Structures are given as structure tokens and as C-alpha cells.
Amino acid sequence: MSQIKFYNREPVPVEMHKVKIVQKLSLLPAKERLEKMKNAGFNTFMLHNGDIFMDMLTDSGVNAMSDNMQAAMLHADDAYAGSETFYRMNDKLTEIFGIKHLLPTHQGRACEHIIAQHFVKPGSCVIMNYHFTTSKAHVTRLGGRVEELVKDEGLVVKSDLPFKGNIDLDKVKACIAKEGADNIAYMRLEAGTNLIGGQPISYENMKAATELAKEYGIVTVLDASLLQDNLYFNKTREEGLKDKSIREIARMIADLFDIVYFSARKFGFGRGGGIMVRDEEMFHAMEDYITMFEGFLTYGGMSVKEMEALIVGFEETMDLDIISQGPQFINHCVKELDKLGVPMVTPGGGLGAHIDARQVVDHIPAEQYPAGSLVAALYLCGGIRGMERGTLSEERNPDGTEHIASVEMVRLAFPRRVFTLSQTEYVIDRVKWLYDHRHLIGGLRFVHEPKTLRFFTGRLEPVSDWPEKLIAEYIKDFGEDQ
Ligand SMILES: *Cc1c(COP(=O)(O)O)cnc(C)c1O
């Protein structure tokens, strides 16, 4: 079912599950949050989870399991080699994707490590619709290069296009002509995209792109980490697919690729990862990397309990009721904030709601990290933890100058089946308050700046006493205790 209809009021998304286990949350008083933020060096990655009210940092490894997933853990078969759990997991994935061979890994980036290790040589090129941080890092680490060939319209913030993750076929043709097919290690399509706002890619586009690759003998790879959201959008936004079941669409997509890999921290509501390989020879050639880097071939670094839960989680991913929750909550949040005048990435995609920080705090210079400042302010004003996706997440240019990001966003991730609609309404309210007081937000500067992946562990300080002034204003409206 796509959306429950209402008789007498504007419809809102309705959860197709009920809560059976809960975790207590606390909302620290505003002034205490200011202390915690100072201790965390104004970096939301450095906050302790207990000091956070709404943790919207990521959807990775924090999705809610179902009763059936937890029950399945009890019959996990603990064995170093030959665990029955592994064969059950392999069978389930083969049933869904129609691909025979599974290489288990501990998480998504481990799949990327192994695929890159196997195919990338110094100087080789990998075609992508859009990169993800870790998928690019593994290619460049080996001396390869990533060509991001998303359609230009994918980077337009405000839009009503249904599939902003689509790859530009003309750019693909030009790239193949320029590089030569032999120099292209593989074509990796991400369904849906992560860094451009959870925007999906259409089945038609994947079909055309992979057909083109096959013409030139280029290996095709699907990053299915965010496939559950993408499947929802294929079903609800793609004309030719509305009568197909989620299971049928998943199979049609997988049929286009030689390799399908995923982070099970997102796909399957658990923790782990896997690479499905169609060709037997290719599969055997990649096995050694698993035993060397991950674990034995029948667990690959995963706990067998998680693997049992995932088997159920993969099956739940084929259920439209279940996979609707994330995109519908995100859509609600994006639509409401858009109505309130807050600059959002539209249309709502998967993964989370994305605020266009460049527009919100246009008085903060790019070198003072607009999105980093906004995300810090959002914790101060509501105990909400989002993630900076902008210049702070980039590395400096070789000459030490800032590399200004093409998009400057704050991401509010919606871990699946975790938050309620009233909590979502709270977030909408606080974002709107902050938007109306945006002139009070100031910039940040580094006091400790790591050379690589600085956004994870870097420490910053405000360029003025703006956090104190912002908190004082907040307390005027909401009181000391909130
Ligand atoms: C999260 C993610 C990954 C990496 O997965 P991890 O389990 O975090 O290592 C790869 N690709 C995409 C699209 C992702 O969203």
C-alpha cells in the first residue's frame, strides 16, 4: 500500500508497525547542550549519543529490527566454516537477485575495497552516476580515478524531477570514447544515491546505461546499499513499473548487473555486507580477498546472529508497506519545511531530508563552513544531530586552500522504523525556529584539523560568541529546561 487515505483531514504518513521495545531518550537543558557542543569541538560526530534527543546523523547500522528479525537470531548456526546460516543467507539473496554466489563482508566499504582491489589498476577509470565517500576513496587509493556522470539536473537543489540520480548517457559515451573501454575498470551505479540527497535512479536509466557498458564489455556493478528506498521510488514514480511488485522490480534491476553489492547496515536493517557475483570464475578469483581481509567465506566478519536477522530483513525489504515508511516520513518533513519557506532539496528522496545550508546561512563565508555551522546550531537549538555534507566534508586542495563543495547541505537522516511522526513534527518545528533566527548563526574555524577525513574527528570553534547569543534567544522562547 502506498499511503493510507484520510476522511476528514490532510493525510499524513502512517506507520505500518507498532513499537514493542523502546529506548528512553533525554533532552538536555539548552545550556548543557552548549557545554556538550563545546566539548565535542562543534563537530556532531564527537557528541555522545546519550546527550542527543533526535539522532539523525545517519541511517547506517541504526535501523530498527522487527520482532521476526530478533527471533531469527536464536537459531543462528555458530560455526567458523560451513555455517548453515551462511547458506540460508546465500539462498535468500539468490532468490531475490537471481545471482548465485555470495561473498560476505563486514560492511559496505569492505565490498568496495575488494571490488576495487580486484578491478582497479593505476590509471584506470571507474564510471559512476555519483560517488560515495568510501567507494571513491578505495578507487583513488589504488591509483584509479572516478568519473561522475550524473545528469546536470541531478545537482539542481530545487526540482520536481522524479529521478535525479540518473546517469547521463551522452557523457558515458563520451567517456568511453575518451578513455577506451579497456581502461574502464567497471561502471558502478548507485541506487539510490547517497551524497546528492538520497535521489533515486530509474530502472529505464540503469537498463540503458548497463546495455551501453555491455556493448563495450565493461563490467557492471550495482551499489544496492540504498536499494530499498530506490525500489519504493521505482514502484511509485516510474510509469512502466507501477503494476510490478517490489520483488519483481528488484529482480529486474539485479538482472542488469554482473555484480551487486550492499551495506547491510542499510539494506536489510542490520549490520554487515555482501557481494553477489554472477560469474563463477570471477567469484572464485575474489574469494581470497574475503579470507584475507574479512573472515572465512561463510561469515566474512559478520556475526551469524546478525546474518540470521538479515535473512528476515532482506525479505522484509520486499514488502512495500515496510519500505514505504522511510520515504514517506522524509517526504512529509521536506514538504512541510518547504511550505514554511526553509530551502530544502526537493523532491524528497530516500535516506533523509536535506537542508540547503548555502541558502539558509548565506551570510557565512564558504571558508567558515555554512553547513557545519548550521548543523552545530541545530544541536544547540533542539538536541537534534544531523550531518554536515559540504565543504567541511571535503579535503583541502594540495596548496592548502579550501576545496569549496559543489553542494552545502545539512542532512537529517531518517533511520528506518525508528522515529515517530510527532518526533518528526518536533524536528520540523525546531528547524523552522532556527531558520527564522538564522542571522544569529555564525561561522566556525578549525582548532585541530586532521589531514584526511577531517569531518570525522576534527575540532572547531565558533568565530565569535554566536552560540551563547543563539542559546539566550532560544531560552526566551522555550525556557531553560528545553
Ligand atoms: C553507506 C554506504 C556505503 C558504505 O557502507 P558502510 O556499511 O557504511 O561501509 C556504500 N555505498 C552507499 C551508497 C552507502 O550509502
Side-chain angles (χ1 to χ4, degrees):
M1 152 187 345
S2 283
Q3 162 101 56
I4 291 201
K5 297 194 170 69
F6 278 61
Y7 160 60
N8 195 20
R9 48 195 301 157
E10 272 287 296
V12 294
V14 177
E15 295 86 343
M16 296 300 285
H17 54 253
K18 63 178 179 181
V19 176
K20 288 180 84 169
I21 293 185
V22 297
Q23 179 181 354
K24 167 112 178 42
L25 293 175
S26 47
L27 178 58
L28 295 183
K31 281 187 180 148
E32 281 183 41
R33 291 201 297 272
L34 179 58
E35 283 315 301
K36 301 292 180 190
M37 190 85 260
K38 283 181 181 166
N39 292 338
F42 285 81
N43 178 351
T44 56
F45 276 99
M46 302 301 272
L47 288 164
H48 293 208
N49 203 27
D51 300 330
I52 293 160
F53 181 49
M54 289 288 289
D55 185 14
M56 305 180 87
L57 184 76
T58 172
D59 64 332
S60 176
V62 289
N63 300 295
M65 283 193 184
S66 66
D67 49 358
N68 289 326
M69 289 175 73
Q70 297 212 346
M73 287 185 167
L74 284 179
H75 60 246
D77 181 32
D78 266 307
Y80 183 86
S83 162
E84 292 298 336
T85 295
F86 172 77
Y87 298 111
R88 283 194 280 269
M89 181 168 172
N90 198 340
D91 286 349
K92 176 52 73 182
L93 287 164
T94 301
E95 179 198 315
I96 291 173
F97 292 130
I99 302 177
K100 193 161 159 205
H101 307 290
L102 167 64
L103 298 167
T105 69
H106 76 279
Q107 65 184 98
R109 70 199 66 181
C111 306
E112 292 165 339
H113 171 209
I114 287 160
I115 294 167
Q117 195 75 43
H118 188 65
F119 290 103
V120 175
K121 298 181 193 65
S124 54
C125 161
V126 176
I127 292 179
M128 300 186 182
N129 51 338
Y130 207 75
H131 81 280
F132 180 65
T133 49
T134 52
S135 31
K136 183 173 174 179
H138 279 296
V139 172
T140 50
R141 193 180 67 86
L142 295 163
R145 197 161 33 81
V146 168
E147 285 289 340
E148 284 176 304
L149 306 179
V150 72
K151 285 192 166 196
D152 294 345
E153 62 205 31
L155 298 178
V156 176
V157 172
K158 219 175 157 70
S159 157
D160 53 8
L161 288 171
F163 293 103
K164 283 161 76 177
N166 282 358
I167 194 164
D168 188 322
L169 299 173
D170 292 331
K171 288 189 200 166
V172 174
K173 281 180 204 152
C175 178
I176 296 172
K178 183 167 145 263
E179 296 287 336
D182 287 348
N183 196 39
I184 296 172
Y186 48 92
M187 171 191 278
R188 167 187 170 278
L189 297 181
E190 192 176 287
T193 59
N194 187 319
L195 297 185
I196 52 171
Q199 298 295 322
I201 173 169
S202 73
Y203 169 72
E204 280 307 320
N205 185 253
M206 286 188 263
K207 185 161 181 283
T210 51
E211 273 169 7
L212 195 55
K214 274 173 206 154
E215 243 177 73
Y216 291 92
I218 296 167
V219 173
T220 53
V221 178
L222 174 69
D223 180 348
S225 303
L226 301 176
L227 186 65
Q228 75 158 47
D229 295 335
N230 209 87
L231 286 167
Y232 171 83
F233 294 119
N234 293 126
K235 166 95 182 157
T236 56
R237 291 183 185 173
E238 199 161 351
E239 195 48 39
L241 296 180
K242 63 177 191 297
D243 296 326
K244 298 269 185 232
S245 68
I246 295 297
R247 193 183 297 276
E248 284 169 328
I249 300 171
R251 182 58 184 273
M252 286 166 68
I253 292 174
D255 280 348
L256 304 173
F257 293 91
D258 300 310
I259 292 176
V260 174
Y261 77 89
F262 54 89
S263 164
R265 296 177 67 81
K266 297 126 187 199
F267 185 74
F269 307 99
R271 279 145 289 244
I275 311 172
M276 301 295 295
V277 186
R278 198 177 294 283
D279 182 76
E280 186 158 358
E281 231 173 272
M282 193 186 283
F283 164 71
H284 288 306
M286 292 166 86
E287 278 177 336
D288 284 355
Y289 302 116
I290 302 294
T291 49
M292 197 161 22
F293 296 119
E294 298 299 303
F296 190 67
L297 288 173
T298 53
Y299 68 92
M302 280 182 278
S303 127
V304 282
K305 289 189 178 60
E306 289 280 339
M307 292 166 72
E308 281 294 349
L310 281 170
I311 297 167
V312 178
F314 297 142
E315 185 55 36
E316 289 180 359
T317 303
M318 297 297 110
D319 182 334
L320 182 60
D321 277 349
I322 293 177
I323 63 172
S324 294
Q325 192 263 345
Q328 289 185 3
F329 268 53
I330 292 162
N331 182 52
H332 178 77
C333 182
V334 169
K335 248 178 42 195
E336 293 301 311
L337 284 168
D338 188 51
K339 266 195 245 167
L340 295 167
V342 180
M344 303 297 291
V345 176
T346 64
L351 178 55
H354 294 73
I355 306 170
D356 183 9
R358 189 164 278 154
Q359 278 190 69
V360 175
V361 281
D362 56 5
H363 56 281
I364 300 180
E367 295 77 13
Q368 290 180 14
Y369 314 119
S373 307
L374 183 59
V375 82
L378 192 57
Y379 173 73
L380 296 177
C381 300
I384 301 158
R385 170 159 77 166
M387 190 189 288
E388 192 270 359
R389 293 274 81 151
T391 301
L392 192 57
S393 295
E394 299 281 343
E395 322 238 293
R396 279 181 191 270
N397 297 319
D399 68 357
T401 56
E402 283 287 355
H403 176 83
I404 307 300
S406 55
V407 282
E408 189 76 38
M409 294 191 295
V410 167
R411 176 178 89 189
L412 300 173
F414 278 78
R416 294 163 188 92
R417 307 192 282 199
V418 170
F419 295 129
T420 61
L421 199 64
S422 49
Q423 290 170 328
T424 307
E425 292 294 336
Y426 169 83
V427 171
I428 293 167
D429 183 72
R430 288 304 189 270
V431 172
K432 170 64 174 160
W433 185 89
L434 196 55
Y435 181 66
D436 288 346
H437 296 78
R438 60 190 181 278
H439 59 279
L440 293 174
I441 306 170
L444 297 172
R445 63 179 161 237
F446 270 104
V447 287
H448 164 66
E449 185 176 347
K451 282 233 154 37
T452 51
L453 300 176
R454 60 184 184 172
F455 63 95
F456 277 137
T457 55
R459 300 184 64 83
L460 302 101
E461 66 180 10
V463 296
S464 67
D465 64 348
W466 66 262
E468 279 79 8
K469 289 189 174 133
L470 184 66
I471 283 290
E473 202 61 30
Y474 181 89
I475 289 172
K476 270 193 220 160
D477 282 347
F478 300 108
E480 290 269 353
D481 65 332
Q482 292 193 18

